[in-house]
Amino acid sequence: MSGEGEEEDEGGAAALAGKVTSKDPAVGLRAVAALRRLLEELERLHVDNARAQGWTWQSIATELRVSRQSVHEKHASRRKAMGKED
């Protein structure tokens, strides 16, 4: 088994996307896990960018196609801990 994060070192998101179709379940599942981590990081980045530009939680939720409550619960406490949210 490879170490966590090894997939990112092997060509980035494009390489990971190619691995999700592998016939080897271990390769495919590791790629899915790595892509999930990448998506979470991208969401954090873009939520932070949106909030820095004055977007409301509702506007962010609308773009993510989730409820305002779910996006607020997911990100507000993290942002408060970082001093980015009142």
Side-chain angles (χ1 to χ4, degrees):
M1 292 242 171
S2 65
E4 220 175 301
E6 186 174 307
E7 290 81 10
E8 289 88 351
D9 297 334
E10 295 178 7
L16 287 171
K19 290 180 180 182
V20 296
T21 60
S22 174
K23 298 287 185 199
D24 181 343
V27 172
L29 291 169
R30 284 193 304 268
V32 168
L35 287 167
R36 186 177 293 131
R37 289 189 302 273
L38 177 59
L39 286 173
E40 289 297 320
E41 180 60 31
L42 287 170
E43 183 176 318
R44 283 190 297 272
L45 171 70
H46 289 291
V47 166
D48 287 350
N49 287 343
R51 292 295 290 167
Q53 293 179 33
W55 284 41
T56 65
W57 288 111
Q58 183 59 59
S59 297
I60 294 167
T62 299
E63 293 300 322
L64 290 174
R65 293 179 170 86
V66 299
S67 71
R68 185 207 61 80
Q69 181 180 1
S70 69
V71 77
H72 187 266
E73 286 177 0
K74 185 173 184 178
H75 294 284
S77 61
R78 172 186 61 82
R79 290 181 48 78
K80 280 184 184 182
M82 297 173 65
K84 294 181 177 181
E85 202 72 37
D86 294 332

